[in-house]
Amino acid sequence: MNATTTKTVTTADTGEAIDGVTVLGDYHMNGGYDWMELIGEHGWAVIPSWGHEGWDLGQWPYVMVAGIRTADAIGNLFGMATYCEGDVTCTYYRTKARFWDAISEQAFFHWKNGQAHGPEDLPEAAAELPSRYRMPYAVPAA
């Protein structure tokens, strides 16, 4: 599959079929930093940190999570892509809450398995993560 393609997707949270959406696919031509640059040309951005203290989200350049916010005639669409040494999975959500849940699940997986620096007090399951670990990191104002 090409690294980017346009096709019909079904949203993971609402089950809607959405036509003409940019989908990220496997990328085994070069490394993760090249993938990051390529997807940026299509409106996607790799998310470096997650949670209120900005813990690592992935392990660059081998494991990354990217996101995009776009819209169709009905409303907002949120895309999440996971990159793991060239293997890419891409999912879309209609709601920001479900999009954040999906990213939080990815963060939890990597934190729990020691693949990224995360909080010390992780629960046993991603569904039990406190709200402070389930949100984008906001850079403090200077």
Side-chain angles (χ1 to χ4, degrees):
M1 177 178 207
N2 292 332
T4 61
T5 187
T6 302
K7 64 183 198 176
T8 300
V9 299
T10 301
T11 56
D13 54 348
T14 61
E16 299 169 68
I18 311 292
D19 293 324
V21 177
T22 300
V23 176
L24 303 181
D26 290 348
Y27 183 75
H28 295 284
M29 291 179 271
N30 295 305
Y33 291 121
D34 293 314
W35 179 78
M36 185 186 312
E37 184 177 329
L38 175 70
I39 68 170
E41 296 171 7
H42 297 275
W44 289 78
V46 173
I47 305 165
S49 306
W50 195 251
H52 80 291
E53 290 193 26
W55 292 286
D56 293 344
L57 182 55
Q59 187 180 40
W60 293 15
Y62 309 107
V63 177
M64 294 180 271
V65 177
I68 190 170
R69 179 179 157 216
T70 187
D72 65 358
I74 297 171
N76 286 325
L77 288 168
F78 302 90
M80 181 187 77
T82 58
Y83 171 99
C84 182
E85 297 188 1
D87 296 334
V88 177
T89 302
C90 188
T91 312
Y92 273 87
Y93 303 89
R94 179 61 75 184
T95 65
K96 182 169 39 174
R98 185 58 191 109
F99 173 63
W100 285 9
D101 284 345
I103 295 170
S104 297
E105 290 166 10
Q106 285 295 312
F108 175 82
F109 175 82
H110 296 295
W111 296 337
K112 193 73 171 177
N113 291 300
Q115 298 170 342
H117 176 70
E120 301 273 331
D121 60 340
L122 288 173
E124 289 301 312
E128 299 167 1
L129 278 172
S131 61
R132 66 185 180 275
Y133 300 158
R134 303 178 72 78
M135 65 178 78
Y137 173 62
V139 178

